[in-house]
Amino acid sequence: MLRRLTLISAKQLTRSQSTSTPGAKEKWDLYAGILVERLPVISKTLNPLERQFQDLLSQVEYENSLKSDFELKHERDLVQKELIKQGKVQVDLDDSMAKQTAQDLKDAYKEELKKFQAAPRTTADDAANKLTSTDRCLEDTLYLVVKQKLGEQEHFVLPQGLRKDGESMRQTAERVLSERCGKDLQVLFYGNAPVGFHKYKYPSKQRSESVGAKIFFYRASVRAGNVNVEQQAIPYEWLPKETLNKKLNNAYAESINKFLI
């Protein structure tokens, strides 16, 4: 269907058609929308049941595993130590002083472990609830929404814009994201085909040229940067799925949820 739409001539896309005439073909404006996602940075915190299952798997793996080189070295050191005590092995004191045993390594590893401090799973932006930052909610996927004027009112939506003559829908998506969010936001588009679709009709008094809008959504993931607020003075937020559904219009959110992961 997308291929057929992109092959429609410019004349057909721009021609105004009356919807009042019986049997007249309705004209729809074509929009490209972009679902920009910041993927999780860290793994999810395990719940008690998941933790218990992980411990069980670790125990099974440990019981079925072969001994490591370190464990074998430690056993050889213990045997050597016992032979020395029994006087069955002659020891060169200079050589024994220079030799590092497995126990020495183990003690050194323990001291190094004491100095290790795990990074926090939350950030300063989490504490400040900075919705414009991607350095928060590290366990979750965040989705970009921007405030755009639709009709006479402003709404939070995924970045979207009208297709221009001669553009493919993918090209429209790339241009719209650059225009709306600036060039500092670097993303990777997942493909040339849209992942979702939404349509709505304009109010009756605004249907002089088109009856409504059809939006084809493309998915992209953030590689670097953020919305350039200095260049693009538009309100925007990065939201997890639960908050995203509350921010969007109900019908719009229903269409978005069909392709959210």
Side-chain angles (χ1 to χ4, degrees):
M1 180 180 179
L2 177 58
R3 181 176 179 82
R4 291 178 59 192
L5 288 172
T6 55
L7 292 177
I8 296 176
S9 67
K11 181 178 179 180
Q12 289 174 308
L13 285 172
T14 57
R15 183 175 57 198
S16 174
Q17 298 179 356
S18 173
T19 58
S20 60
T21 304
K25 185 178 179 181
E26 295 179 337
K27 177 182 179 295
W28 294 77
D29 290 331
L30 300 182
Y31 282 76
I34 309 94
L35 177 74
V36 185
E37 55 187 12
R38 191 232 57 196
L39 299 175
V41 178
I42 59 177
S43 61
K44 284 275 190 181
T45 301
L46 300 180
N47 61 40
L49 180 60
E50 291 170 333
R51 175 66 66 182
Q52 183 179 3
F53 185 66
Q54 184 189 55
D55 293 342
L56 175 61
L57 290 180
S58 298
Q59 182 64 27
V60 171
E61 182 181 5
Y62 175 75
E63 292 175 356
N64 294 333
S65 65
L66 299 176
K67 292 182 179 180
S68 65
D69 291 343
F70 175 82
E71 291 171 313
L72 294 174
K73 176 178 172 58
H74 185 52
E75 290 180 353
R76 290 196 300 269
D77 289 342
L78 293 177
V79 172
Q80 181 75 3
K81 183 178 180 181
E82 187 63 27
L83 291 175
I84 293 174
K85 282 185 178 180
Q86 297 175 7
K88 296 181 179 180
V89 176
Q90 296 295 326
V91 181
D92 186 341
L93 294 179
D94 293 334
D95 183 61
S96 63
M97 293 293 292
K99 184 179 179 181
Q100 188 177 38
T101 65
Q103 186 62 47
D104 294 332
L105 290 172
K106 187 175 182 179
D107 293 339
Y109 295 156
K110 285 184 176 180
E111 289 299 319
E112 186 176 354
L113 179 60
K114 290 179 182 179
K115 300 176 183 178
F116 174 78
Q117 185 175 3
R121 299 181 68 87
T122 57
T123 67
D125 290 340
D126 277 310
N129 195 30
K130 189 176 180 181
L131 301 182
T132 57
S133 171
T134 56
D135 189 29
R136 51 183 285 273
C137 299
L138 302 182
E139 295 183 7
D140 302 314
T141 299
L142 295 181
Y143 302 98
L144 175 65
V145 293
V146 297
K147 183 171 282 190
Q148 293 186 209
K149 189 172 183 179
L150 303 177
E152 299 179 353
Q153 296 182 340
E154 289 187 337
H155 301 272
F156 272 104
V157 294
L158 304 184
Q160 64 183 47
L162 185 64
R163 174 186 176 275
K164 292 182 178 180
D165 293 341
E167 287 184 331
S168 67
M169 297 304 293
R170 163 68 183 267
Q171 290 171 337
T172 300
E174 293 175 340
R175 173 182 57 79
V176 167
L177 187 62
S178 178
E179 291 176 353
R180 297 286 182 184
C181 302
K183 298 189 177 185
D184 290 348
L185 183 63
Q186 301 176 27
V187 304
L188 173 66
F189 279 85
Y190 289 150
N192 293 322
V195 296
F197 171 78
H198 178 72
K199 72 175 182 178
Y200 62 92
K201 288 190 174 183
Y202 299 144
S204 299
K205 60 182 180 180
Q206 299 180 11
R207 298 182 188 176
S208 59
E209 296 185 358
S210 302
V211 68
K214 292 184 178 181
I215 310 170
F216 295 87
F217 294 104
Y218 289 79
R219 184 186 297 273
S221 62
V222 176
R223 286 293 176 262
N226 201 343
V227 177
N228 189 341
V229 292
E230 296 181 359
Q231 179 182 350
Q232 310 293 332
I234 58 171
Y236 72 96
E237 295 178 0
W238 291 93
L239 304 175
K241 183 177 179 180
E242 297 75 16
T243 310
L244 179 70
N245 289 327
K246 298 176 182 178
K247 181 73 69 171
L248 303 177
N249 172 274
N250 290 337
Y252 188 82
E254 184 177 349
S255 296
I256 300 299
N257 280 324
K258 292 179 181 178
F259 55 89
L260 285 185
I261 297 178

